[in-house]
Amino acid sequence: MHLAFHFRLRCDDANGDAGCWIDCSGAFDEDERINLSSWAVKVYEKNGRKIPYGFPYSSDMSQFDESGKFSDVSRGAGLTCATFALSILDLAGYTAVDSASWEVRGDDVVWQLKIISELAKDRENHPELYVDYPEQDQFAHVGIAVRMRPEEAAAAIGGYEGVPMAFSKARVLGEDVIRQLLNGAVP
């Protein structure tokens, strides 16, 4: 399962996709993996592809209600691919990151502005996906909302030991994930 972009939640065969997938299941025993999988299925059943894309994220509040439905469709609310994965874990009772410890980085602002531009272009091609979703509301979050990068989320999920991982550790381990991917070795 992957939040590819605004209202594009995908449920694909990881072996058949051209993207990079990292197996983080080693941090969880079989019962925990079944629990996580059942929540992921519930989220897909309740929302289909319709998870909005957005920057703000906090592990202190659930992004989904108890049925698995995305709970906040307010202006600019949404998830990124990384925060979607973290939110599924939160929903299942496993908080992988200490979001309060995250820091805003200068290059995150560049990424956020690029995403807003991509959202605007996407609206031109798919206006039906943007009813009641003003992507320009994301500007209010630029430089304020922290970016949970995919490699940091993967590091926090793969290294889950029952307590949320701090930014400093996830950043370092995320760099290791990138190095391993670039070297062709999937962790």
Side-chain angles (χ1 to χ4, degrees):
M1 195 173 278
H2 169 65
L3 184 60
F5 206 52
H6 180 68
F7 277 25
R8 290 184 183 84
L9 181 60
R10 294 175 42 187
C11 192
D12 298 324
D13 177 4
N15 295 324
D17 193 292
C20 279
W21 298 94
I22 297 173
D23 182 2
C24 299
S25 64
F28 302 94
D29 66 29
E30 185 176 355
D31 289 339
E32 291 169 327
R33 288 192 300 270
I34 290 169
N35 181 34
L36 285 166
S37 297
S38 69
W39 279 110
V41 168
K42 285 180 188 179
V43 165
Y44 195 78
E45 287 173 348
K46 288 291 180 182
N47 301 282
R49 297 170 49 103
K50 295 185 176 184
I51 302 288
Y53 205 86
F55 302 141
Y57 174 76
S58 172
S59 57
D60 294 336
M61 68 176 222
S62 179
Q63 307 301 312
F64 299 97
D65 67 19
E66 62 281 347
S67 74
K69 184 155 179 58
F70 187 75
S71 61
D72 186 2
V73 290
S74 64
R75 297 171 66 85
L79 299 168
T80 65
C81 65
T83 58
F84 172 76
L86 292 168
S87 294
I88 294 292
L89 264 74
D90 287 343
L91 183 61
Y94 311 104
T95 302
V97 298
D98 173 11
S99 61
S101 71
W102 242 253
E103 300 171 12
V104 175
R105 295 163 274 186
D107 55 343
D108 291 347
V109 171
V110 173
W111 178 83
Q112 289 168 336
L113 292 171
K114 178 183 174 208
I115 292 298
I116 292 171
S117 175
E118 293 298 320
L119 285 165
K121 288 178 196 173
D122 193 52
R123 175 190 280 277
E124 291 175 14
N125 295 323
H126 304 284
E128 72 281 2
L129 298 179
Y130 289 84
V131 175
D132 297 328
Y133 180 85
E135 70 277 355
Q136 64 272 18
D137 284 358
Q138 292 300 329
F139 280 111
H141 306 295
V142 172
I144 297 168
V146 295
R147 179 178 178 211
M148 305 273 175
R149 297 179 182 187
E151 64 272 16
E152 294 162 352
I157 294 167
Y160 183 76
E161 295 177 335
V163 295
M165 188 177 287
F167 168 74
S168 57
K169 184 174 181 180
R171 183 177 43 87
V172 170
L173 293 177
E175 291 169 1
D176 287 341
V177 168
I178 293 293
R179 275 191 291 280
Q180 291 176 27
L181 288 170
L182 290 174
N183 292 328
V186 177

